[in-house]
Amino acid sequence: MRKKYAAGNWKMNKTFEEGQILLSEVVNMVKDEVVNPNVQVVLGVPFPYLSSFSKLIDTPKVALAAQNCHPKESGAYTGEVSVSMLKSAGVKYVIIGHSERREYFNESDEFVAQKVDAILAGGLTPIFCCGETLSQREAGIHFDFVSGQLTNSLFHLSADDLKKVVIAYEPIWAIGTGVTASSAQAQEMHKVLRDHLASKYGQEVAEEISILYGGSVGAGNAQELFSQPDVDGGLVGGASLKSRDFTDISKSFPA
Ligand code: PEP
């Protein structure tokens, strides 16, 4: 059975003290309440908090993610953070290719591919984000565009390495807008992406890859989205900043 994920992306939110409270609340709720044992909860917190927050997590049900990394191992890259730094701070997952980084920091598919390689070489798990704009969807090129993002950033990997990647499909028009893709739209794209993976790596490998949906996931729509056969969880922005909502999302998987 594919692993399921409830992954939070705090983005550039919360002070250190606020973050400590939020993290402790989520950890305690996830430990105390019934979360499907096949669900991995992941919290993508700001860089400066990673090291100390990793010491607050006392359950394997919750793991820490960084929201970015640099592909180089070390060197003169002022302000950047390498995979080995993240690893030494207790990080297990790294979110890469988020549309905000692609848009505001001009990150290309090729640069994201280098990050994928660095993360895998460091033994961490990439959460690879992809997704189309509204105009691409309206033009009917969304399936080709998102499949192309996978081709450009992942298809150089061996099958064994591909199996270590988590994919997050995040239609840009649904991120932070309160407009969620319908469960049918999410399922349709996830199936297209799984078929695209199968065309290169075979069905057996494609069936092993977790594909998360992201874009205005909340406690009210998670159950419907996560009940779709190719939707293996969510990458959650806004709702991950509220411990009750995020824990409820973590509990929204079919038994
Ligand atoms: C995100 O930033 O990855 C995201 C999906 O945000 P939101 O849940 O707020 O739409």
Side-chain angles (χ1 to χ4, degrees), residues 9 11 98-100 129 170 174-178 213-217 235-240:
N9 175 13
K11 310 192 189 190
H98 194 283
S99 61
E100 288 153 14
C129 303
E170 300 205 301
I175 296 179
T177 58
Y213 166 79
S216 300
V217 175
L235 180 55
V236 184
S240 73

